[in-house]
Amino acid sequence: MKRELSSRLLSWFDARRRDLPWRNDPDPYRVWVSEVMLQQTRVEAVVPYYLAWLRRFPSIDALADADLGEVLKGWEGLGYYARARNLHRAARLVRERHGGQLPADPEALRALPGIGEYTAGAIASIAFGLPVPAVDGNVRRVLSRLFDLEDPTPVELRRLAAELVPADRPGDFNQALMELGATTCTPRSPACEACPAAELCRARAAGTQAERPRRRRAKPLPEDGVGTAVVVSPAGRVLLTRRPEHGLLGGLWEFPGEPATRGEDPVTAAARAARAVVGEHLAPGTLLGSVVHTFSHRRTTYHAVRFAALAEPRLEPPAVWAAPDELDRFALPAAQQRIAALALEAQGRQAASAAGE
């Protein structure tokens, strides 16, 4: 089956593969960037970010030389920002430990931040031509159906994939498996009639393809609320603070916020967050609206509250006053961008009202 599967998949891949920018040049750095961007993100969303990233950071050295804020700004809107921080850290380690050249050895790759088993296998096979497996979610589904496996473990799948990878064109073979899962052997309603491996598929023969692999039941996400302070100074500037580099949304900018305790008015929580930065000189807050954002581990509702500051005190880093037209210089997470839009809309209404008086 190994030889037949390889022949069928590679012929299909040569004829049907999507024209994606990272496939035009298997440079190790470009392969690495594309694989990290594609983690938990759709191909269509990644393409413009990938092209913009290479214009901004065309090499490992360029990425290593960049400031973290610039790196996060380049990633803004793509989500899962730990990926960007890990790319930045890893670029500096590659320069420090490997002379600026990404190593080919999968073990050395896995020692770099943000590179796990799958990403190491993808880089080693696609960029360096090593016959090693790369098992992502798409490949897990394809192999589970090919071999009619109900709930295979990661170790089982990796062993099976390693047996299938050919010495010739291992990178293309791994990409063909991924492509097949992304475009044909889809989670629901797989297009078995268009699959190049249909005659080899044990699940199709058994009629179990829709049940393979067994789907895991998603747990309900916990929910929380955050009182978020949009503090506006007499000069019309808004207060921003920068999150610590480590942890959720590390290194990104945000409007200061505090979790609302059980039964607490979010305006009170937002006032607490504002006073922690600028002190007591605030007018009463006005609720602007709410923004709901779903993370991988929880769902958070940000209650945006506008406060007029009675003065513009000097701030200690990492807090700044930013003019509305300067906000696009700061790397803001998606939810914070929506809060900024609420704030700018409110400011526009206030200005229009004042002009009409």
Side-chain angles (χ1 to χ4, degrees):
M1 180 180 184
K2 174 181 176 179
R3 185 172 298 177
E4 180 69 13
L5 179 63
S6 176
S7 174
R8 286 173 178 247
L9 282 183
L10 289 172
S11 295
W12 174 83
F13 186 64
D14 289 341
R16 302 292 182 88
R17 67 180 176 181
R18 291 170 292 178
D19 183 18
L20 301 175
W22 46 86
R23 288 178 175 164
N24 300 328
D25 182 359
D27 170 77
Y29 172 65
R30 292 173 178 237
V31 172
W32 174 31
V33 170
S34 70
E35 289 297 338
V36 172
M37 285 189 170
L38 287 165
Q39 293 168 7
Q40 299 176 289
T41 307
R42 298 188 331 275
V43 166
E44 298 77 19
V46 165
V47 170
Y49 277 94
Y50 173 81
L51 296 173
W53 183 274
L54 289 183
R55 288 193 294 269
R56 198 166 191 168
F57 311 111
S59 66
I60 288 176
D61 274 338
L63 179 56
D65 286 338
D67 174 77
L68 177 60
E70 184 184 0
V71 172
L72 293 173
K73 185 65 181 175
W75 200 271
E76 186 179 53
L78 199 54
Y80 299 99
Y81 287 89
R83 296 180 295 175
R85 295 196 302 273
N86 284 332
L87 269 171
H88 188 230
R89 287 172 53 214
R92 294 185 169 183
L93 288 173
V94 167
R95 185 160 65 182
E96 177 185 319
R97 298 175 182 175
H98 304 286
Q101 301 297 315
L102 204 63
D105 178 60
E107 187 175 341
L109 287 167
R110 288 194 299 272
L112 295 171
I115 296 184
E117 198 81 53
Y118 161 74
T119 306
I123 295 170
S125 62
I126 298 169
F128 296 106
L130 299 183
V132 294
V135 181
D136 68 351
N138 285 320
V139 173
R140 176 179 182 266
R141 184 169 57 258
V142 169
L143 294 181
S144 296
R145 289 172 174 167
L146 275 173
F147 294 91
D148 197 21
L149 305 173
E150 182 180 3
D151 191 20
T153 67
V155 172
E156 289 176 302
L157 284 175
R158 180 169 171 76
R159 183 173 62 246
L160 180 57
E163 293 171 357
L164 295 174
V165 178
D168 180 42
R169 300 179 64 188
D172 284 347
F173 178 81
N174 283 337
Q175 288 184 91
L177 281 175
M178 298 175 212
E179 187 87 341
L180 188 67
T183 64
T184 304
C185 192
T186 51
R188 293 177 176 79
S189 303
C192 297
E193 68 284 351
C195 177
E199 295 175 10
L200 305 175
C201 182
R202 295 176 186 173
R204 184 174 188 244
T208 57
Q209 65 268 36
E211 303 162 21
R212 302 291 184 259
R214 187 175 66 196
R215 293 193 183 97
R216 298 183 177 94
R217 184 173 296 178
K219 297 179 180 178
L221 291 174
E223 301 191 16
D224 62 0
V226 175
T228 304
V230 180
V231 180
V232 183
S233 77
R237 300 200 294 177
V238 296
L239 175 67
L240 294 177
T241 60
R242 194 173 191 178
R243 295 179 65 88
E245 286 193 10
H246 301 289
L248 182 68
L249 304 175
L252 295 170
W253 292 87
E254 66 180 1
F255 297 95
E258 282 283 341
T261 60
R262 184 181 295 275
E264 183 180 32
D265 181 350
V267 175
T268 303
R272 188 166 65 250
R275 292 191 182 103
V277 183
V278 299
E280 298 293 328
H281 304 291
L282 296 172
T286 304
L287 188 65
L288 294 176
S290 298
V291 169
V292 180
H293 186 78
T294 302
F295 296 94
S296 59
H297 63 297
R298 73 168 186 252
R299 183 177 291 107
T300 297
T301 300
Y302 296 92
H303 303 281
V305 182
R306 186 184 188 278
F307 295 93
L310 305 179
E312 190 179 280
R314 183 176 179 178
L315 301 173
E316 294 295 327
V320 297
W321 293 107
D325 60 0
E326 295 175 332
L327 288 177
D328 62 359
R329 290 173 33 205
F330 297 86
L332 297 170
Q336 300 294 321
Q337 291 180 43
R338 292 163 64 193
I339 293 169
L342 287 175
L344 293 174
E345 183 182 345
Q347 195 162 337
R349 288 197 304 268
Q350 190 176 45
S353 176
E357 290 178 356

